[in-house]
Amino acid sequence: KHTVNLDNKIADVRVKPFTLEMGIKFELHVTISGKKINISEVPELSIPEDWMRDKLELNFYKSEQGGGGEVENVNYDKQSRTAVITFLRPG
């Protein structure tokens, strides 16, 4: 239990555990070219677009999955179900 001062008002807050939903596995179709990876057929999930961008970034940041590396940018288009991952270094 904590007490927080917000805009000169005191709020008592308490941490409560919650259950996270199970992860979702999906298949991506990938074209690799230097610093960028073009992804098509990204599945339609009922999550916000920024969450999908984060999921894509985390997936390709992991070096053992898809030959990833440090991600510079994720350009995701929900309507066309495509994304372009740009890495900091070619590889």
Side-chain angles (χ1 to χ4, degrees), residues 3 6 14 18 23-24 39 45 47 49 52-53 60 63 65-68 71-73 75 85 87 90:
T3 302
L6 301 169
R14 181 185 328 213
F18 63 94
I24 299 170
I39 303 166
L45 301 176
I47 60 173
E49 287 186 39
M52 180 60 85
R53 277 190 290 277
F60 288 98
S63 60
Q65 293 182 0
V71 174
E72 180 180 310
N73 184 46
N75 187 349
I85 311 293
F87 295 97

Side-chain angles (χ1 to χ4, degrees), residues 15-83:
V15 177
K16 291 186 176 185
F18 63 94
T19 304
L20 293 174
E21 294 181 22
M22 294 298 293
I24 299 170
K25 285 190 170 190
F26 52 86
E27 180 180 327
L28 300 172
H29 297 264
V30 176
T31 303
I32 301 173
S33 169
K35 275 183 72 170
K36 293 185 179 188
I37 296 178
N38 297 321
I39 303 166
S40 60
E41 299 183 40
V42 176
E44 293 182 47
L45 301 176
S46 59
I47 60 173
E49 287 186 39
D50 56 333
W51 289 16
M52 180 60 85
R53 277 190 290 277
D54 291 345
K55 284 182 170 297
L56 290 166
E57 180 175 352
L58 288 172
N59 184 69
F60 288 98
Y61 186 82
K62 299 175 184 176
S63 60
E64 67 272 6
Q65 293 182 0
E70 194 168 351
V71 174
E72 180 180 310
N73 184 46
V74 176
N75 187 349
Y76 169 62
D77 183 353
K78 184 175 185 171
Q79 193 165 24
S80 67
R81 296 176 46 213
T82 61

